[in-house]
Amino acid sequence: SMMRQLATGLARRLGGAPGTPPRRLFSSSLAAPPSAPLPSPGAAQAPLTAAVAEKPPKPPKGSYKFVPTDRVYKLEKLKTSAQKVQVVARLVNVRGFPVEKAVGYLKFLPQKAATMLRAVLEMALRRAPFELGWDPKRMIIDAIWTGRCTYLRRPDYKAKGRMGLIKKPKTNIYAKLREVPLEEAQAFKLKIKRGAPDVLAYRRERYAARRADPDYKPVLRAHQLPRIAFWPLC
């Protein structure tokens, strides 16, 4: 039968008759010798080996993780112009303004840009506790700015075979937030001047607190340095 022919051909190829055990495919002379144990290191190398083997204990998990003091959250490619967002952003772009109060302040503004800016701050309130372990009540605004994005170009057909170009702008909104002690966040008071936060008043307070510090050293600009620093020969 066909199965018997296949068995006979296989036996001939392996060099044995049917019914006898087949020969080994590899010679015993080519077989690798059993692996011998490695020689033990000398006595002089034993202390050095022991010193290298000892590793300092690893710190507990999470104790050496770097936690940033600020974080920038953003929303990109929003269908509005940067100028419209800046009009609303200047109402809450105050350094030290708590994020939760800014969200409540933006809820009562009718502008479409206020909804977009509030979406950035609410996203930060949701993500920061899980990503950085921040307390939402201690989060404050450090800076808010906008940036232009790519324009959406569309043709503007005119009379007499002419054509113009309509540019539909898009905007990116960035919000830089920080975490401060709870007392500092609760001590913030919003100062309004002519319907908008008085940014200059906050700036004067920061400068006064900086000058009151005993370790404060004013940074002189180039035009404030003595003349000898630029023209030593005159």
Side-chain angles (χ1 to χ4, degrees), residues 33-179:
S35 58
L38 296 176
S40 59
Q45 298 180 358
L48 180 61
T49 305
V52 173
E54 295 179 359
K55 295 182 179 180
K58 292 184 178 181
K61 187 176 181 181
S63 62
Y64 55 91
K65 183 178 179 181
F66 173 73
V67 180
T69 57
D70 53 35
R71 176 65 66 90
V72 177
Y73 291 92
K74 62 181 179 179
L75 283 181
E76 297 180 337
K77 299 181 180 181
L78 302 175
K79 293 183 179 180
T80 183
S81 63
Q83 290 80 4
K84 293 180 181 179
V85 179
Q86 289 173 0
V87 173
V88 179
R90 65 187 295 267
L91 301 178
V92 294
N93 190 12
V94 180
R95 185 177 299 175
F97 200 174
V99 179
E100 291 184 342
K101 292 184 178 180
V103 171
Y105 186 70
L106 292 171
K107 286 182 180 180
F108 297 95
L109 297 180
Q111 289 86 349
K112 178 182 176 181
T115 305
M116 299 179 179
L117 189 57
R118 182 163 57 93
V120 180
L121 299 180
E122 289 179 347
M123 177 186 64
L125 289 175
R126 292 193 305 267
R127 292 176 53 181
F130 294 96
E131 296 178 353
L132 307 174
W134 287 2
D135 186 4
K137 297 182 179 179
R138 298 167 53 185
M139 294 172 56
I140 65 171
I141 295 175
D142 193 26
I144 296 177
W145 68 94
T146 60
R148 287 184 179 180
C149 191
T150 56
Y151 283 95
L152 186 63
R153 295 174 175 83
R154 289 292 179 267
D156 183 16
Y157 299 103
K158 301 179 182 298
K160 298 182 179 181
R162 294 180 299 173
M163 186 182 69
L165 190 64
I166 299 177
K167 292 183 179 181
K168 299 183 178 181
K170 293 184 179 180
T171 310
N172 302 333
I173 301 179
Y174 304 89
K176 184 179 180 181
L177 310 178
R178 290 191 298 114
E179 187 186 29

Side-chain angles (χ1 to χ4, degrees), residues 1-19:
S1 63
M2 185 179 295
M3 296 299 297
R4 184 176 298 177
Q5 293 178 2
L6 291 176
T8 306
L10 183 61
R12 290 176 181 177
R13 183 171 297 180
L14 295 177

